[in-house]
Amino acid sequence: MATKTLIEAVREALAEEMRRDPQVFVLGEDVGVRGGVFRATQGLIEEFGPMRVLDTPLAESLIVGVAIGAAAAGMRPVAEIQFADFIHPAMDQIINEAAKIRYRSNGSWSCPIVIRAPYGGGIHGALYHSQSVEALFHHVPGLKIVVPSTPYDAKGLLKAAIRDEDPVLFFEHKKAYRTVRGEVPDEDYVLPIGAADVKRPGRDLTVLTYGYTVHLCLEAARRLSEEDGIEAEIIDLRTLLPLDRKTVLESVRKTGRVMISHEDNKTGGIGAELAAIVAEEALFYLDAPIVRVAPPDVPAMPFNRVLEAAYMPTVEQQYEAMKNLARF
Amino acid sequence: MATKTLIEAVREALAEEMRRDPQVFVLGEDVGVRGGVFRATQGLIEEFGPMRVLDTPLAESLIVGVAIGAAAAGMRPVAEIQFADFIHPAMDQIINEAAKIRYRSNGSWSCPIVIRAPYGGGIHGALYHSQSVEALFHHVPGLKIVVPSTPYDAKGLLKAAIRDEDPVLFFEHKKAYRTVRGEVPDEDYVLPIGAADVKRPGRDLTVLTYGYTVHLCLEAARRLSEEDGIEAEIIDLRTLLPLDRKTVLESVRKTGRVMISHEDNKTGGIGAELAAIVAEEALFYLDAPIVRVAPPDVPAMPFNRVLEAAYMPTVEQQYEAMKNLARF
Amino acid sequence: MDNRHAALGLSDADVLAMYEKILLTRMVDERTWILNRMGRAPFLVSAQGQEACQVGAAWALRPGIDWALPYYRDLGVVLTLGMTAKDYMLGLLAKAEDPSSGGRQMPSHWSFPPLKIFTGSSPVATQLPQAAGIAYAIRLRGEDAVVYVSFGEGSASKGDAHEAMNFAAVHRLPVIFFCENNRYAISVPQEKQMAVDNVADRAAGYGFPGVTVDGMDPLEVYRVMREAVDRAKSGQGPTLIEAKVYRLAPHSSDDDDRAYRPQEEVEEWRARDGLPRFRRYLMELGLLTEETDRRLREQLAAEVDAAVEYAEKAPDPVPADLLRHVYGQ
Amino acid sequence: MDNRHAALGLSDADVLAMYEKILLTRMVDERTWILNRMGRAPFLVSAQGQEACQVGAAWALRPGIDWALPYYRDLGVVLTLGMTAKDYMLGLLAKAEDPSSGGRQMPSHWSFPPLKIFTGSSPVATQLPQAAGIAYAIRLRGEDAVVYVSFGEGSASKGDAHEAMNFAAVHRLPVIFFCENNRYAISVPQEKQMAVDNVADRAAGYGFPGVTVDGMDPLEVYRVMREAVDRAKSGQGPTLIEAKVYRLAPHSSDDDDRAYRPQEEVEEWRARDGLPRFRRYLMELGLLTEETDRRLREQLAAEVDAAVEYAEKAPDPVPADLLRHVYGQ
Ligand SMILES: Cc1ncc(C[n+]2csc(CCOP(=O)(O)OP(=O)(O)O)c2C)c(N)n1
Ligand SMILES: Cc1ncc(C[n+]2csc(CCOP(=O)(O)OP(=O)(O)O)c2C)c(N)n1
Ligand SMILES: [Mg+2]
Ligand SMILES: [Mg+2]
């Protein structure tokens, strides 16, 4: 097993799926000779040619619409939105079309597309190259939402997404692309969509998180264990829609304390639904109020490094919140 | 004071604001001679002419974009999206533009626009003329979201929205348009955005709701009082962003039981954030788990009357949920 | 009267069959209004005034081979491709057996996989990028099918229409963009929608041909469609066809068109209606007589009766169906 | 060499001032690359190759009266309208004093209310409907201003571009749609973006003039802009101007253009660069000498030095600023 970066895992998953199934193709802005602005599709055009590695015009609604149509005709399109911040023009095609095609046709059509998009901040991307957009889709039945935190998860989940019968939004954290490394098997494997992963077991409190923030929480949990002897259970949700309620509730019932942490701003974030599920299903197991750790409700994170740092979650913040919760 | 329907209240608010301020104008599809497909703008083109009552081409992104530009130039545009279900093509202009204009310009520009849209079901509108879309915007700082339930609130809040310095989404329930009547003062008045309204005081449980569902809950509460002697406090949120946390928390701390009810599907709905706020701020006041009463997570409500009825919230459902909660 | 259809390679049987479809479309539509006024059908959108162009267009397609993304007015298209009055009535009354959506969507939101009729929604113009996507798949796999996608002139104002046409041009995709210009988007007249006379004039800006055609003449429509299909199949790319038509009825059963257009205008267009015009053509050529026409109408009326009867008796979905088909398996 | 500018009503002082703006734009841009390579500026987008068209276009506007919605490459436009090298450097280094966004947005996301430069975002083409909205307000109030809105040829593929141009045509709005066609949208060459030679060809489909112009020639650009401004002011409606330019630098400091275009192509275009060409023009007319040019460059270099120095010393926003300006008051 070799150690790889998250973006290498993404690239491998794409190449292997394209080799496995001739119906799989990628489309998006600059995915061809440029290999994607983050190089996620590097080398694909050389191997699969420009028809299966399609540089589209600059038009996100088109990209998703074309993917929907191609999927109707039996293809397995993997669309790239260059930055998650630019997915908004495609929301009609995603929410009103892709998510509703199976339902509105009473099951006679389906929409097996994957929409990949780099998301997240801490990379000096400013208001429009740093956004987390998962919460904008979390309310939409018919969609699946996957956010991997490690190279292993990224590869196994992207393969699962491509083989899935329904539309999957696949968000990849930009800061994780090259800073997060991990073991990735050489053999073909898929990971189940809809299953959370306990990244660190612990008895004292439950931390629900996903994406890059998983790593901040793991780091904070290590410190909490070493310095304070408190054991946090870190649950990486991995799939945000549908949520793995079982894993979440089991952990909460065990620890009685729950913290939810994400990089996306607080109000109406994924943390809201998680807190609601716990408050509905496990209220009397709680020994402390639910805690959401999330950036403030500002429209997006700024470019200036002082302001960006003021927005971005930190290990320190996770550590303090966990400690306070454990001591409540 | 005369009794009016909700749509009459909307129409009056528009006409009065247009008389008051020459910068106010309305734009949208069929708002002119047709007077809007629901007749909300009826009579306006005769009084204010086609420039201030602008029939646009069929293009929602354009409608919002034009409103943003006109607002930048000092106008007070009131855009109509014909059905909330068709707001999705404008999401980029709403979320990436309108909501961020003040923030991204460090306060040197603002975006005082109102976007009105009829929403909601129970009117045989099927998948694309029945949607509730408020939760898709609830996560977006910079926006305000208003949903009136009565003619009085509709008029006072729409006037406030038009005079507000920030972008306001104003959702009007289609079934409420002509079925809900109420007193509306003849004098000019505005109601504060951001303030919930206790539509019925009660000591035994708190019901948080908004829009048409307010009436279902009021009806259920009357029955609950008469038949079971249980007094539910019905809070009409009226503004969904920013939420009136104070009114919500005060009531919850008083009753110790909270039910949240909306017509929008459950996962990631407004109820999620409300539950999270309560679980964070008032957990130890709770005598029962939080209950969310909302339709199931299906992509949208169907046309067939059996299926539509299976989707739509009912008085019975509210009544049962309240009773169970009170007896928990 | 010249025989115009022979020159187009259409047999007498063909044009009679086309006439039958135009007539069936009209009769189904008229019946729908009656059902609606009687309170037996809650909602409808009407095809009246556009049937001739619809049947002319669909006649150039190979059902089950070519793809179709018809918009909500395209009753004539789907009936020509092979959907039946019964299929339509099941959708009109939103019954469980409705092949388009099992009663979930509004009437006239077509879907029929065996005929490669892809499911459509209410938000307009979203089908254009999807049609381009299907055409891209066809091109990628080297198939010979073409894609028909239709929309109103109002919907041509949407961004999706632009993005799709431009993309189809870049890849010379086998798509026919078929615009049924009935001069109104609900109440908004063409002059408030665009500053040009023809939607078809936009095609030049993308780099493919745009043609306007009298949409009341099914043979002319067939002719330009055939040319477009031939272009598409031979790798020459898309065509934008704009059929000049008129909506003879209100926008939908919820609309009142007297608010926004003079009834003289409606009557003027009614005088040009494609159905009686085509009937006259067939009669003057001796292909149709009052007698054969009467018999045909009787036969179609019986077909429509049977469809209504079947659909009215057909069961509704059950409440539990609400939860089906959100996700696969 | 003919005096071409006199015929356009431009004085010698005017063209020297235009030259100064073109040169300033280039010098600011070059300095930015140096700062970036030194690690002193984290990110940039470059205007190199497009300055001549930008200054030519902006010269036709009345600063503070006409509106501008310049896109991220339009450094030459904003400097001509009246923003300064210092304003730019404060934005480049994202300082609290940055007039465009207080350090919130990426560099080159212009905003300057006194000059009626409306705030722009990164998502491309959203400014076109907004420009149409400003123009509609102008029309509604009977003002005499015009609106300049610019975008790349890649952004012309977006739905918003279509919707805005169509609307502007319907209402004959005083907008100038200014497309800077530099042949690439990041790595995607024009052939993969469109099947026509000219974005300007689309204007006919909306019903207003579209003109292409050599964007390396500021006088030609000024000429067509003046015509467009005159049309707009006299109620004749919008114009689409397409300036043929070339991006001489990579897309941004994060880009590597060698992956997608041959360096010979870049060199070929560099030979047509508008800056030295305009310099030659002025010299041949005797309006500029090696000596005056050298002095000008020194003066501008000093201006740029001072701007960098000021900006580098200027304070960052404080963390609490993160929470400001989400809503009014
Ligand atoms: C995106 C969107 N906005 C608004 C509507 C509401 N609506 C339904 S049909 C229609 C007019 C369509 O006009 P046109 O495209 O000309 O087709 P026609 O109905 O005239 O055949 C409108 C505005 C819609 N369905 N979709
Ligand atoms: C909606 C959207 N999608 C993608 C991007 C990412 N992006 C930034 S610039 C660019 C290319 C723009 O090309 P063009 O419009 O030709 O302008 P140029 O940069 O060449 O001047 C892309 C794809 C974006 N900013 N906005
Ligand atoms: Mg029409
Ligand atoms: Mg370009």
Side-chain angles (χ1 to χ4, degrees):
Chain A
M1 241 184 348
T3 292
K4 296 192 171 127
T5 60
L6 200 147
I7 194 147
E8 282 164 353
V10 167
R11 195 185 298 138
E12 280 187 9
L14 292 172
E16 290 174 20
E17 290 301 295
M18 289 180 78
R19 273 173 221 136
R20 184 187 59 78
D21 180 355
Q23 308 295 340
V24 177
F25 76 107
V26 303
L27 70 163
E29 295 153 13
D30 304 290
V31 297
V33 286
R34 184 71 175 77
V37 295
F38 290 97
R39 311 283 188 211
T41 56
Q42 194 158 38
L44 297 184
I45 197 167
E46 288 79 5
E47 181 172 353
F48 303 104
M51 282 298 282
R52 287 181 69 200
V53 184
L54 168 60
D55 269 328
T56 64
L58 204 179
E60 286 76 11
S61 187
L62 174 88
I63 292 171
V64 176
V66 164
I68 291 169
M75 304 294 297
R76 290 281 170 157
V78 183
E80 176 175 302
I81 299 293
Q82 194 160 84
F83 287 82
D85 316 61
F86 306 137
I87 204 166
H88 307 72
M91 281 191 164
D92 195 36
Q93 288 285 354
I94 297 171
I95 296 176
N96 265 335
E97 300 293 320
K100 296 181 174 58
I101 278 173
R102 182 186 294 281
Y103 195 76
R104 79 183 187 210
S105 66
N106 206 26
S108 45
W109 293 98
S110 65
C111 188
I113 66 173
V114 178
I115 301 173
R116 291 180 45 248
Y119 84 102
I123 46 104
H124 302 296
L127 274 69
Y128 296 104
H129 297 78
S130 304
Q131 292 177 30
S132 295
V133 300
E134 58 275 14
L136 299 176
F137 298 98
H138 191 234
H139 182 59
V140 184
L143 298 179
K144 298 183 180 180
I145 307 175
V146 174
V147 188
S149 70
T150 67
Y152 174 78
D153 289 352
K155 186 166 177 188
L157 286 167
L158 183 50
K159 288 187 167 218
I162 292 171
R163 299 179 199 183
D164 199 275
E165 294 301 322
D166 288 300
V168 181
L169 301 178
F170 195 90
F171 296 122
E172 304 157 7
H173 198 284
K174 295 191 287 289
K175 194 163 178 181
Y177 266 155
R178 290 187 165 76
T179 60
V180 177
R181 309 180 66 90
E183 303 270 282
V184 179
D186 293 324
E187 324 80 65
D188 182 46
Y189 68 100
V190 294
L191 294 173
I193 291 178
D197 185 42
V198 179
K199 283 276 186 311
R200 181 186 199 282
R203 60 172 184 263
D204 298 323
L205 73 155
T206 298
V207 177
L208 306 175
T209 182
Y210 59 92
Y212 186 68
T213 317
V214 168
H215 302 286
L216 305 182
C217 291
L218 282 172
E219 175 72 22
R222 272 190 290 273
R223 215 179 118 190
L224 197 67
S225 171
E226 280 166 28
E227 297 182 15
D228 310 273
I230 297 166
E231 299 303 333
E233 177 148 300
I234 310 291
I235 297 186
D236 179 358
L237 296 164
R238 296 201 299 199
T239 299
L240 303 184
L241 191 67
L243 279 167
D244 182 352
R245 300 163 68 100
K246 191 163 160 291
T247 302
V248 167
L249 290 170
E250 266 170 25
S251 177
V252 173
R253 290 191 180 117
K254 178 176 76 177
T255 66
R257 283 160 209 268
V258 56
M259 164 175 141
I260 306 158
S261 179
H262 50 61
E263 183 181 315
D264 202 356
N265 61 289
K266 186 170 181 180
T267 296
I270 306 295
E273 178 62 28
L274 288 164
I277 291 172
V278 172
E280 283 185 322
E281 308 284 338
L283 190 85
F284 294 122
Y285 293 88
L286 292 179
D287 300 319
I290 296 173
V291 172
R292 285 185 290 171
V293 178
D297 287 317
V298 298
M301 81 182 78
F303 184 64
N304 175 280
R305 67 199 158 77
V306 173
L307 298 179
E308 188 184 62
Y311 180 94
M312 281 295 285
T314 61
V315 174
E316 185 63 26
Q317 212 179 8
Q318 315 301 322
Y319 170 79
E320 291 298 333
M322 288 182 201
K323 195 160 90 177
N324 289 339
L325 179 57
R327 299 215 166 137
F328 181 87
Chain B
M1 236 176 1
T3 292
K4 296 193 173 127
T5 60
L6 199 147
I7 194 145
E8 282 164 352
V10 167
R11 195 185 300 139
E12 280 188 9
L14 291 173
E16 291 174 20
E17 290 302 295
M18 289 180 78
R19 275 174 220 136
R20 185 187 57 79
D21 180 355
Q23 307 295 341
V24 178
F25 75 108
V26 302
L27 70 164
E29 296 155 12
D30 304 290
V31 298
V33 286
R34 183 71 175 78
V37 296
F38 290 96
R39 310 283 187 211
T41 55
Q42 194 158 37
L44 296 184
I45 195 166
E46 288 79 5
E47 181 170 355
F48 303 103
M51 283 298 283
R52 286 182 68 198
V53 185
L54 168 61
D55 269 328
T56 64
L58 205 179
E60 285 76 11
S61 187
L62 174 88
I63 292 170
V64 176
V66 165
I68 292 169
M75 303 293 296
R76 290 280 170 156
V78 183
E80 176 175 300
I81 299 294
Q82 195 160 83
F83 286 83
D85 316 61
F86 306 137
I87 204 167
H88 307 72
M91 281 190 164
D92 194 36
Q93 288 285 355
I94 297 171
I95 297 176
N96 264 336
E97 300 293 320
K100 296 182 175 60
I101 278 172
R102 181 186 294 282
Y103 194 76
R104 79 184 185 209
S105 66
N106 206 25
S108 46
W109 294 97
S110 65
C111 187
I113 66 173
V114 178
I115 301 174
R116 292 180 45 247
Y119 85 100
I123 47 102
H124 302 296
L127 275 69
Y128 296 106
H129 298 79
S130 303
Q131 292 177 30
S132 295
V133 300
E134 59 276 14
L136 299 176
F137 299 98
H138 191 231
H139 182 58
V140 183
L143 298 179
K144 298 183 180 182
I145 307 176
V146 173
V147 188
S149 70
T150 67
Y152 175 77
D153 289 353
K155 186 166 177 186
L157 286 166
L158 183 50
K159 288 188 168 217
I162 292 171
R163 301 179 197 181
D164 199 274
E165 294 301 322
D166 289 300
V168 181
L169 301 177
F170 195 89
F171 296 122
E172 303 158 7
H173 198 285
K174 295 191 286 291
K175 195 163 177 182
Y177 266 157
R178 289 186 167 79
T179 61
V180 177
R181 308 181 67 90
E183 303 270 282
V184 178
D186 293 325
E187 323 80 65
D188 181 47
Y189 67 100
V190 293
L191 294 173
I193 290 178
D197 185 41
V198 180
K199 282 277 187 307
R200 182 187 197 281
R203 59 170 186 264
D204 298 323
L205 72 153
T206 298
V207 178
L208 306 175
T209 183
Y210 59 92
Y212 187 67
T213 316
V214 168
H215 301 286
L216 306 181
C217 291
L218 283 171
E219 176 71 23
R222 271 190 291 273
R223 215 179 119 189
L224 198 66
S225 171
E226 281 167 28
E227 297 181 15
D228 308 274
I230 296 165
E231 300 303 334
E233 178 147 300
I234 310 292
I235 297 186
D236 179 356
L237 295 164
R238 297 201 300 198
T239 299
L240 303 184
L241 191 67
L243 281 166
D244 182 351
R245 302 163 68 100
K246 191 163 160 290
T247 302
V248 167
L249 290 169
E250 266 170 24
S251 177
V252 173
R253 290 190 180 119
K254 178 176 74 175
T255 66
R257 286 160 207 267
V258 57
M259 166 177 140
I260 306 158
S261 180
H262 50 60
E263 183 182 316
D264 203 355
N265 62 288
K266 187 169 179 177
T267 296
I270 306 296
E273 178 63 29
L274 287 164
I277 290 172
V278 173
E280 284 184 323
E281 307 284 337
L283 190 85
F284 294 121
Y285 291 88
L286 292 178
D287 300 320
I290 295 174
V291 172
R292 285 185 290 171
V293 179
D297 287 315
V298 297
M301 81 182 77
F303 184 63
N304 174 280
R305 66 200 158 79
V306 173
L307 298 179
E308 188 184 62
Y311 180 95
M312 281 295 286
T314 61
V315 173
E316 185 62 27
Q317 212 179 10
Q318 315 301 323
Y319 171 78
E320 290 299 332
M322 287 182 200
K323 195 160 88 177
N324 289 339
L325 178 58
R327 297 215 167 134
F328 181 89
Chain C
M1 173 81 57
D2 281 353
N3 178 328
R4 290 164 50 220
H5 60 270
L8 299 171
L10 293 171
S11 70
D12 293 349
D14 286 336
V15 285
L16 281 172
M18 287 173 78
Y19 175 67
E20 181 183 326
K21 292 299 184 193
I22 295 172
L23 187 56
L24 176 63
T25 307
R26 177 66 56 94
M27 288 174 71
V28 167
D29 199 288
E30 285 173 345
R31 183 67 60 90
T32 305
W33 280 102
I34 293 169
L35 293 171
N36 176 259
R37 294 312 182 216
M38 291 170 75
R40 285 156 68 189
F43 179 79
L44 69 88
V45 280
S46 174
Q48 287 186 41
Q50 307 187 196
E51 304 95 332
C53 91
Q54 292 166 1
V55 173
W59 205 262
L61 300 173
R62 296 160 300 175
I65 296 172
D66 296 322
W67 288 75
L69 292 87
Y71 90 124
Y72 49 82
R73 275 193 214 292
D74 265 352
L75 178 59
V77 168
V78 301
L79 290 177
T80 303
L81 289 177
M83 288 182 75
T84 63
K86 185 173 114 180
D87 292 332
Y88 169 80
M89 289 296 170
L90 284 163
L92 179 71
L93 303 182
K95 295 307 178 74
E97 244 185 276
D98 158 32
S100 291
S101 76
R104 290 172 174 203
Q105 291 227 68
M106 281 183 157
S108 306
H109 285 53
W110 325 108
S111 163
F112 207 89
L115 292 170
K116 291 202 165 108
I117 297 173
F118 185 55
T119 169
S121 65
S122 306
V124 301
T126 50
Q127 71 271 29
L128 279 82
Q130 294 166 13
I134 294 173
Y136 190 79
I138 289 171
R139 163 62 48 86
L140 209 162
R141 293 189 299 225
E143 295 166 358
D144 118 297
V146 306
V147 183
Y148 162 90
V149 60
S150 64
F151 50 100
E153 90 295 340
S155 310
S157 301
K158 293 274 305 180
D160 268 2
H162 167 70
E163 296 185 5
M165 290 191 203
N166 182 47
F167 177 76
V170 170
H171 295 279
R172 293 179 163 260
L173 298 180
V175 200
I176 295 114
F177 294 103
F178 194 85
C179 180
E180 302 183 25
N181 182 348
N182 61 12
R183 312 192 65 78
Y184 288 89
I186 308 186
S187 73
V188 182
Q190 173 165 340
E191 311 80 70
K192 288 190 175 187
Q193 300 181 49
M194 59 185 99
V196 290
D197 289 334
N198 306 310
V199 173
D201 294 350
R202 303 226 174 109
Y206 300 115
F208 56 79
V211 288
T212 60
V213 61
D214 175 2
M216 300 295 194
D217 182 344
L219 296 179
E220 267 302 284
V221 174
Y222 172 76
R223 184 179 65 75
V224 297
M225 261 300 282
R226 267 296 298 275
E227 281 174 21
V229 168
D230 289 346
R231 290 190 73 248
K233 287 209 271 188
S234 62
Q236 292 174 77
T239 305
L240 170 57
I241 296 175
E242 177 184 12
K244 303 287 195 181
V245 293
Y246 194 80
R247 161 163 67 66
L248 293 172
H251 172 75
S252 73
S253 52
D254 288 347
D255 184 34
D256 178 358
D257 60 334
R258 286 166 307 182
Y260 55 80
R261 60 182 186 181
Q263 290 311 295
E264 303 81 69
E265 183 184 290
V266 181
E267 291 318 315
E268 221 170 84
W269 277 91
R270 198 181 298 282
R272 296 189 236 165
D273 184 3
L275 174 60
R277 235 166 89 184
F278 199 45
R279 183 169 178 270
R280 264 196 313 278
Y281 172 78
L282 297 176
M283 287 199 167
E284 291 185 20
L285 287 182
L287 298 175
L288 190 74
T289 65
E290 290 293 347
E291 174 57 19
T292 54
D293 189 39
R294 194 184 48 74
R295 278 214 304 276
L296 179 63
R297 283 170 196 259
E298 278 170 16
Q299 172 208 317
L300 296 178
E303 197 176 319
V304 176
D305 286 342
V308 173
E309 203 187 314
Y310 184 93
E312 289 195 324
K313 287 197 186 128
D316 279 318
V318 295
D321 287 344
L322 179 70
L323 304 179
R324 297 182 63 205
H325 304 306
V326 179
Y327 295 102
Q329 46 266 3
Chain D
M1 173 80 55
D2 279 355
N3 179 329
R4 291 163 49 221
H5 61 270
L8 298 172
L10 293 171
S11 69
D12 293 349
D14 286 336
V15 285
L16 279 172
M18 286 173 78
Y19 174 69
E20 180 183 325
K21 292 297 182 192
I22 295 172
L23 187 58
L24 175 63
T25 306
R26 178 67 53 93
M27 289 174 72
V28 167
D29 199 289
E30 285 173 345
R31 181 67 61 90
T32 304
W33 280 103
I34 292 169
L35 292 172
N36 176 261
R37 296 310 182 216
M38 291 170 76
R40 284 157 67 190
F43 180 79
L44 69 89
V45 280
S46 174
Q48 287 185 40
Q50 307 186 195
E51 305 95 331
C53 91
Q54 292 167 1
V55 173
W59 205 262
L61 300 173
R62 296 161 300 175
I65 296 172
D66 297 322
W67 289 75
L69 292 85
Y71 90 122
Y72 49 81
R73 277 194 213 291
D74 265 352
L75 177 59
V77 169
V78 302
L79 291 177
T80 304
L81 289 177
M83 288 182 75
T84 63
K86 184 174 115 181
D87 293 332
Y88 170 80
M89 290 297 171
L90 284 163
L92 179 72
L93 304 183
K95 295 307 179 76
E97 243 186 277
D98 158 34
S100 291
S101 76
R104 291 173 172 200
Q105 292 225 68
M106 282 183 157
S108 306
H109 284 55
W110 325 108
S111 163
F112 206 90
L115 292 170
K116 291 204 165 105
I117 297 174
F118 185 55
T119 169
S121 65
S122 306
V124 301
T126 50
Q127 70 274 27
L128 279 81
Q130 294 166 12
I134 294 173
Y136 190 79
I138 288 171
R139 164 60 50 86
L140 209 162
R141 292 189 299 225
E143 295 166 359
D144 119 297
V146 306
V147 184
Y148 162 90
V149 60
S150 64
F151 50 100
E153 88 296 339
S155 310
S157 300
K158 293 275 306 181
D160 268 2
H162 168 68
E163 296 185 3
M165 290 192 204
N166 183 48
F167 177 78
V170 170
H171 294 280
R172 294 181 162 260
L173 298 180
V175 200
I176 295 115
F177 295 104
F178 194 85
C179 180
E180 303 183 25
N181 182 349
N182 61 12
R183 312 193 64 79
Y184 288 89
I186 309 188
S187 73
V188 182
Q190 175 165 338
E191 312 80 71
K192 288 190 176 188
Q193 301 182 50
M194 59 185 100
V196 289
D197 288 334
N198 306 310
V199 173
D201 294 351
R202 302 227 175 107
Y206 300 114
F208 55 80
V211 288
T212 60
V213 62
D214 175 1
M216 301 294 195
D217 181 344
L219 296 179
E220 267 302 283
V221 174
Y222 173 75
R223 185 178 65 73
V224 297
M225 260 300 282
R226 267 294 298 274
E227 280 174 22
V229 168
D230 289 345
R231 290 192 72 248
K233 286 209 271 188
S234 60
Q236 293 174 76
T239 306
L240 170 57
I241 296 175
E242 177 184 11
K244 303 286 193 182
V245 293
Y246 194 81
R247 160 164 67 67
L248 293 172
H251 173 74
S252 73
S253 51
D254 288 347
D255 184 34
D256 178 359
D257 61 333
R258 288 166 306 180
Y260 56 79
R261 61 181 187 182
Q263 290 311 295
E264 303 81 70
E265 183 184 291
V266 182
E267 290 319 315
E268 221 170 85
W269 277 91
R270 198 181 298 282
R272 297 190 236 164
D273 184 2
L275 174 61
R277 235 167 88 184
F278 199 44
R279 182 169 179 270
R280 262 195 315 277
Y281 172 78
L282 297 176
M283 286 198 167
E284 291 184 23
L285 286 182
L287 299 175
L288 191 73
T289 65
E290 290 293 346
E291 173 57 16
T292 55
D293 189 41
R294 193 184 50 71
R295 276 212 307 274
L296 179 62
R297 282 169 195 262
E298 278 170 16
Q299 172 207 318
L300 296 179
E303 197 176 319
V304 176
D305 286 344
V308 173
E309 203 187 315
Y310 184 93
E312 289 195 324
K313 286 195 187 133
D316 279 318
V318 295
D321 287 344
L322 180 70
L323 304 178
R324 295 181 65 206
H325 303 307
V326 179
Y327 295 101
Q329 46 262 5

